Amino acid sequence: MAKSRTKKPATVISVANQKGGVAKTTSVASLGAAFAEHGKRVLLVDLDAQACLTFSLGVDPDVVELSVNEVLLGRASVEDVRVECDEGIHLVPSVIDLAGAEAQLLPRPGREYVLRTALEDVRDDYDVILLDCSPSLGVLTLNALTASQGLIIPMPCEMLSHRGVGQLLDTVADVKKILNKDLAVYGILPTLFDGRSNHAQEVLADVGERYDLPVLEPPIPKTVRFAEAPAVGRSILSTSRTSKGAQAYRAVAKSLLTKV
């Protein structure tokens, strides 16, 4: 892709929650597609060794030769490894080898800034860069938070999901104090929402007040359509364009446009 100067470099947004199964990957793929529908140039970065985002966008992790692993270890640039996917999105893929990157980064000086430095070379190429974080608060997630201007926290509408959010926000406070004073929490994104459940309604009403954070709207409904989309390597915005899930992600992306 030829470089072209935008009015400002891309806004980098982490999608993070150390709890698994909260729809992080679905949110990254769907928001990325929704931003692309608005004409934004979008780069998605898979920071999870399970490579679910990579697979979901139609890229086989088993045949990827260069990935985010090589970027973090200084063996390749983002420009070397990014691939073009459907829906007008670019992807920095992941592979299982990323599981060992954390240990290799630990002894490195300035290890929390490795991703931020790597993304600087391509921020002028994009309007928004979304980071799909691994379900942990290790070095890779710290790299993502250090590289980001914004954070979205996907959270299922169930009470047990509250527990991880507080721990993540403690980490965010430390990151802002030591590594990245410009990091802003854009909001909690309610996911797997069942509007028929009184419990889900109560959690949704409680979450914003409990953490004094914005709650992104509308909540993302629970639907089998999300499980079907990765099988064809596209987001729900392509596979089920008029579904409630697709429409919800479009609405959330539209509400975030002022930030990107």
Side-chain angles (χ1 to χ4, degrees):
M1 178 190 288
K3 292 205 174 191
S4 59
R5 188 73 189 180
T6 59
K7 292 180 181 178
K8 64 175 184 175
T11 301
V12 184
I13 304 172
S14 287
V15 179
N17 187 331
Q18 74 273 25
K19 190 176 187 298
V22 301
K24 282 192 300 291
T25 297
T26 296
S27 296
V28 170
S30 302
L31 289 174
F35 284 132
E37 284 186 350
H38 281 280
K40 301 300 182 184
R41 295 168 300 165
V42 179
L43 175 68
L44 308 183
V45 181
D46 192 346
L47 287 171
D48 189 347
Q50 296 176 75
C52 292
L53 178 64
T54 300
F55 177 80
S56 296
L57 293 180
V59 178
D60 184 352
D62 293 335
V63 301
V64 169
E65 295 183 2
L66 292 174
S67 70
V68 71
N69 183 63
E70 282 70 41
V71 172
L72 292 171
L73 297 180
R75 299 170 186 164
S77 69
V78 173
E79 292 166 301
D80 294 330
V81 310
R82 63 187 173 187
V83 295
E84 188 166 355
C85 302
D86 289 336
E87 301 175 87
I89 292 170
H90 284 192
L91 168 73
V92 174
S94 181
V95 293
I96 190 63
D97 293 349
L98 186 63
E102 198 141 334
Q104 295 183 66
L105 286 173
L106 277 173
R108 183 180 296 188
R111 56 186 174 269
E112 296 90 355
Y113 293 93
V114 172
L115 180 61
R116 180 174 181 165
T117 301
L119 290 177
E120 284 299 324
D121 290 340
V122 297
R123 280 186 65 196
D124 287 347
D125 292 350
Y126 300 98
D127 298 303
V128 59
I129 299 174
L130 292 172
L131 310 179
D132 185 16
C133 297
S134 61
S136 76
L137 293 177
V139 171
L140 296 183
T141 298
L142 286 177
N143 259 268
L145 296 176
T146 302
S148 296
Q149 287 75 57
L151 167 65
I152 295 171
I153 305 171
M155 195 201 82
C157 293
E158 54 188 43
M159 194 55 67
L160 287 177
S161 297
H162 276 309
R163 299 181 64 188
V165 173
Q167 189 178 359
L168 174 59
L169 292 175
D170 288 342
T171 300
V172 169
D174 290 339
V175 168
K176 291 181 70 170
K177 192 181 303 180
I178 302 167
L179 300 169
N180 179 12
K181 63 181 176 57
D182 297 324
L183 178 63
V185 180
Y186 287 169
I188 292 173
L189 176 61
T191 59
L192 305 175
F193 180 68
D194 182 356
R196 301 166 299 177
S197 162
N198 288 335
H199 176 67
Q201 297 277 9
E202 290 165 2
V203 171
L204 182 61
D206 172 70
V207 65
E209 184 177 342
R210 180 183 293 248
Y211 297 110
D212 191 26
L213 288 173
V215 177
L216 301 175
E217 295 181 333
I220 308 301
K222 182 185 294 187
T223 169
V224 69
R225 301 298 181 197
F226 288 123
E228 296 169 353
V232 293
R234 299 174 73 89
S235 79
I236 191 174
L237 274 72
S238 284
T239 60
S240 186
R241 292 189 58 83
T242 60
S243 67
K244 290 182 179 179
Q247 300 288 27
Y249 274 116
R250 284 192 182 98
V252 171
K254 186 175 181 179
S255 75
L256 293 168
L257 282 176
T258 57
K259 299 183 184 299
V260 304

